[in-house]
Amino acid sequence: MDASIAAIIGTGVGAIGGLGGGVVSVLGQARSQRSQHANDRTRWRDEMRRAAYQDLITTTKALARELWRASDHLLDPESTPADWQSQYREVHEAWTHFSAATAAVTIAGPGHAADAAEDLRTAMREWEMIVTEWTKAAVGSGTGENAPLQERFTVAAKAKRGPDKAFQHAARYALATE
């Protein structure tokens, strides 16, 4: 074999080796980019969920606070129908924020956290509806004293504890902090 043929073969082998190395490098970079993209998406999803879960917890506490304030106003002999209606507007405002936070969790998921958020929403809605009924009855009668509604209010306040804890558990599980 003469030197020119050896040079051509050597060049061909080098070119094929360089091309193969380039392909391997490109495939490795593509795999790395896909992995980085998946990691970034997981991080984004977890941050979105964490924010949605935190907002639901915060708005749950705010709604509970306003419901208890409404009860306090209804039971205060110095309160007037105007006081009761004013406090009910605060309850309604808190409900609006809570309801939006629940919707955000149902979108953020996963399914078990969304289901737990819906169960919490149902329990809080029951409690809020009792305050609505109690406020209307108080305005109509001129007194906030209403033993049956007071009892239902207390029962509903206790009943929301289970769904509240269940949502927190679902959130910990979804965020792998359990």
Side-chain angles (χ1 to χ4, degrees):
M1 167 164 27
D2 79 14
S4 62
I5 292 178
I8 291 173
I9 291 174
T11 302
V13 169
I16 291 171
L19 183 61
V23 167
V24 169
S25 176
V26 166
L27 291 175
Q29 286 176 350
R31 186 178 321 117
S32 177
Q33 286 177 341
R34 281 192 306 273
S35 176
Q36 182 62 42
H37 178 71
N39 289 340
D40 289 347
R41 178 156 170 52
T42 298
R43 188 176 304 109
W44 167 82
R45 183 202 63 212
D46 288 350
E47 288 171 5
M48 177 198 49
R49 284 178 176 171
R50 190 173 291 108
Y53 300 166
Q54 180 61 45
D55 193 34
L56 181 56
I57 291 167
T58 300
T59 59
T60 300
K61 302 305 180 201
L63 177 56
R65 180 187 65 236
E66 295 305 330
L67 290 165
W68 282 109
R69 283 182 180 169
S71 171
D72 291 345
H73 279 290
L74 287 161
L75 294 172
D76 181 355
E78 302 297 316
S79 289
T80 66
D83 296 329
W84 303 329
Q85 290 173 322
S86 176
Q87 181 56 41
Y88 181 74
R89 282 190 290 279
E90 295 298 320
V91 167
H92 184 70
E93 182 70 21
W95 170 261
T96 301
H97 293 291
F98 168 78
S99 184
T102 303
V105 169
T106 62
I107 291 168
H112 67 277
D115 292 345
E118 278 299 316
D119 291 345
L120 177 58
R121 188 193 72 73
T122 299
M124 295 301 286
R125 182 66 175 168
E126 175 64 27
W127 196 15
E128 188 266 344
M129 291 304 294
I130 292 166
V131 169
T132 299
E133 186 180 342
W134 192 359
T135 301
K136 286 179 182 178
V139 169
S141 70
T143 180
E145 289 292 327
N146 188 319
L149 287 170
Q150 287 172 254
E151 177 62 27
R152 286 179 50 209
F153 177 90
T154 303
V155 169
K158 289 177 184 174
K160 76 95 173 154
R161 291 179 188 161
D164 192 11
K165 288 182 188 288
F167 170 72
Q168 291 176 36
H169 175 76
R172 286 191 311 271
Y173 184 77
L175 295 172
T177 59
E178 188 65 7

